[in-house]
Amino acid sequence: MPMAFDTMQSSKHVCVVGAGASGLVSARELLREGHSVVVLEQNHDLGGQWLYQDAGSAKARVHSSVYASLRLNGPRISMDFTDFMFTPVEGRDARNFPGHRELFLYLKDFARCFELTELIRFNSEAVHVGTAAATGKWIVRSRDRRTDEGELVEEIFDAVVVATGHFSLPKLPKIKGMEEWKRKQLHCHVYRIPDPFQDEVVVVVGGSISGPEIALELVHVAKEVHISTKNDEIPEKLVKPVSKYAHLHWHQEIDLLCEDGTVVFADGSSVVADTILYCTGYSYSFPFLDTEGIINVDENTIGPLYEQTFPLSLAPSLSFVGIPNKFALFRFLESQARWIAQVLSGKRKLPSADEMRKAIEEIQHLQEIEEGKDIIQVAAETLEYYDRYGDLCDFPHLEDWRKEIILNNFENCINNIETFRDE
C-alpha cells in the first residue's frame, strides 16, 4: 500500500541526502517549488564524488573515487545544468575535457549562485532513514562525524530525496585463489597517484574506462603493467597503447591466483605480480535506508523504481536522483530533480499505481537487452528522455548538443585517453 501523503499541502519539509551534483540540483529545484530543504552531507565540503580525498591506504574510508589525474570523459557541455553553463573561467582549467577539480569548482559556483550552501549540514552522516507509517512521514537520524561520540540528531520530514551516488562501494570479482593470494590487492576506489607502484609488476583488472586510463599512468613508474579484461581478443582501444609500450601487456580475465604471487590468465599466460588493482566497478549501497523490505538493493540494482526515480509503494515521499549507472548527465539529474519537486508540490501528478507497476515490469523485461548497449546508445536514449520530458528541463540547445555528442564521439574520447589528456 502506498504511504499516506498529503498532496494538498503544496510546501513540504524535505531532506536531501548528499551534497554532490544530484543533491545540489535537487535542493535547488525543491527551493524553486517552495519546499523547505535540509541537505545532509557526510563530508566537510560539498561536491560528492568531485570532492577529491586522499585515500592514504587500501583500507581508508573515503567517499570519492576520483584519482589525481582524472579528467572528464565527456565534454563540458554534457556536465552542466540548463541555466548555469559550465563555461571556462579565466585562470582555471579551460580545456573542453577539464580535470576533476574544475568540475568541483563548478559545483561550488552553482551552490553559491543559488544560495544552497546555507542549506547544507556538513559532517552530518545519515545513519537511518525510515518510515513513520502512522503519519506518512520519514524519521531521519544523522550523526556528527566530527567527534568520535558522533552525536545523533533525529528529525521528521515529509519527504526524502536520496542523492548519495553509487561510485563508492567497490565491486570485486570472484576469482579462484583470491583469498590465498597474499600480496597487495586493492580497488581503484583508493587509487590516487602512480608513485606507490614504482618498479612493481602490476595487474590491472578491467577494460572499461578507469582500467586502461590508470594502466597508462602506471607504465611510467611500474616495472610491468598487465591489463586483464573479459574480452577474448584485445580490445580495440588497447591495441595502440600495448604496441607503444614494451612493458604493457594485455591478457584475458584471470583464471587463478596462486599463493606464491602468480597470476594465471584464461589464455594460459601467467605473471608473478606485486599488486592487483581491480578497476571493476561499484555496487549500490544505501545502508541508512530502512524500507522494511519494500525496496530491494543489491550490488547491481535497486528497485522497483518508476523511471528510476520513485519506488512504487513509497512515492512520492521517497525518491532517488542519479541511479542510472551507465550514463548520468547533469541535465538528466536536473530533470529528475525538477520532476520530484513538482510532484511534491502538486504541480505534477504521477500515473496510477497500476500504470507505474506496468512500466516497471516492462523495464525489468528489457534489462537483459539493456546490458548489451554501449555508451552511444545509452546517450541517445538519454536525449530521447529529454524529448519526452522537455518541459521538465528547459533544453534550448538540444539539437546542438546532440550534434556535439556525435562529433565528439564518446567512444573515441575514451579510446584516445592520452590524446585528450594532453590537450
Side-chain angles (χ1 to χ4, degrees), residues 68-87:
S69 66
L70 184 142
R71 288 177 60 181
L72 306 190
N73 54 35
R76 284 177 175 271
I77 198 168
S78 70
M79 301 295 283
D80 64 10
F81 300 116
T82 54
D83 54 358
F84 196 79
M85 305 300 286
F86 189 14
T87 53

Side-chain angles (χ1 to χ4, degrees), residues 29 74 79 90 97 106 205 254 274 301 317 347 373:
E29 294 303 322
M79 301 295 283
E90 187 175 353
F97 295 83
Y106 167 78
V205 181
I254 298 174
D274 299 295
T301 60
S317 66
K347 185 177 291 186
K373 295 178 180 177

Side-chain angles (χ1 to χ4, degrees), residues 25-26 28-30 32-33 82-83 321 332-345 348 390-395:
V25 75
S26 296
R28 196 273 300 271
E29 294 303 322
L30 289 163
R32 285 180 165 177
E33 286 299 308
T82 54
D83 54 358
V321 176
F332 174 79
L333 306 178
E334 185 178 7
S335 63
Q336 277 190 298
R338 187 165 300 174
W339 185 27
I340 291 165
Q342 293 183 359
V343 168
L344 289 176
S345 68
R348 289 182 176 270
D391 58 333
L392 276 171
C393 188
D394 181 28
F395 211 150

Side-chain angles (χ1 to χ4, degrees), residues 147-382:
T147 63
D148 292 336
E149 293 76 18
E151 179 184 356
L152 287 175
V153 176
E154 181 172 301
E155 298 167 275
I156 302 295
F157 291 91
D158 297 312
V160 174
V161 178
V162 178
T164 53
H166 48 80
F167 296 104
S168 290
L169 182 64
K171 181 190 296 184
L172 294 171
K174 296 179 181 179
I175 301 173
K176 185 178 180 181
M178 195 171 180
E179 297 298 324
E180 290 74 31
W181 205 81
K182 302 303 180 183
R183 302 191 180 189
K184 189 166 56 177
Q185 298 184 69
L186 64 155
H187 192 276
C188 64
H189 173 62
V190 294
Y191 173 87
R192 294 297 180 266
I193 57 176
D195 303 45
F197 303 89
Q198 184 75 41
D199 298 325
E200 288 191 354
V201 175
V202 184
V203 175
V204 177
V205 181
S208 183
I209 298 176
S210 58
E213 186 165 275
I214 291 173
L216 289 175
E217 275 201 334
L218 294 175
V219 293
H220 299 291
V221 299
K223 181 180 179 181
E224 295 177 14
V225 179
H226 299 259
I227 305 177
S228 168
T229 73
K230 292 181 178 180
N231 306 67
D232 291 331
E233 296 182 2
I234 184 169
E236 184 179 347
K237 61 185 168 186
L238 292 176
V239 172
K240 183 178 178 181
V242 167
S243 64
K244 180 178 180 180
Y245 298 100
H247 60 303
L248 177 62
H249 310 275
W250 170 80
H251 306 267
Q252 294 177 14
E253 62 186 336
I254 298 174
D255 188 52
L256 175 66
L257 296 177
C258 302
E259 193 171 353
D260 66 355
T262 301
V263 179
V264 181
F265 302 97
D267 56 12
S269 61
S270 65
V271 64
V272 178
D274 299 295
T275 299
I276 300 176
L277 180 61
Y278 297 103
C279 301
T280 47
Y282 297 86
S283 299
Y284 289 109
S285 178
F286 306 96
F288 55 85
L289 189 59
D290 180 10
T291 62
E292 299 180 348
I294 292 175
I295 297 177
N296 176 60
V297 180
D298 64 30
E299 65 176 24
N300 296 312
T301 60
I302 173 172
L305 297 179
Y306 175 64
E307 293 285 4
Q308 301 196 62
T309 305
F310 290 105
L312 180 59
S313 59
L314 297 173
S317 66
L318 180 66
S319 56
F320 295 80
V321 176
I323 288 299
N325 64 8
K326 285 187 176 179
F327 205 82
L329 307 175
F330 275 23
R331 298 191 186 190
F332 174 79
L333 306 178
E334 185 178 7
S335 63
Q336 277 190 298
R338 187 165 300 174
W339 185 27
I340 291 165
Q342 293 183 359
V343 168
L344 289 176
S345 68
K347 185 177 291 186
R348 289 182 176 270
K349 303 294 183 184
L350 289 174
S352 69
D354 286 343
E355 289 174 308
M356 289 194 289
R357 184 178 294 106
K358 182 179 179 180
I360 291 170
E361 289 172 353
E362 289 175 354
I363 291 296
Q364 290 173 337
H365 179 69
L366 293 172
Q367 278 183 339
E368 290 185 6
I369 300 175
E370 183 76 15
E371 285 300 315
K373 295 178 180 177
D374 64 24
I375 196 167
I376 300 297
Q377 290 172 292
V378 179
E381 291 178 6
T382 302

Side-chain angles (χ1 to χ4, degrees), residues 35-107:
H35 304 296
S36 65
V37 183
V38 172
V39 182
L40 299 180
E41 171 52 54
Q42 65 178 343
N43 285 314
H44 68 281
D45 203 349
L46 58 79
Q49 276 295 323
W50 304 103
L51 175 62
Y52 180 82
Q53 297 170 293
D54 287 323
S57 71
K59 296 182 179 180
R61 184 178 178 229
V62 292
H63 177 74
S64 175
S65 299
V66 166
Y67 42 93
S69 66
L70 184 142
R71 288 177 60 181
L72 306 190
N73 54 35
R76 284 177 175 271
I77 198 168
S78 70
M79 301 295 283
D80 64 10
F81 300 116
T82 54
D83 54 358
F84 196 79
M85 305 300 286
F86 189 14
T87 53
V89 176
E90 187 175 353
R92 290 186 359 197
D93 189 344
R95 295 172 295 182
N96 194 31
F97 295 83
H100 60 83
R101 179 164 174 77
E102 185 66 12
L103 187 52
F104 168 73
L105 293 175
Y106 167 78
L107 292 174

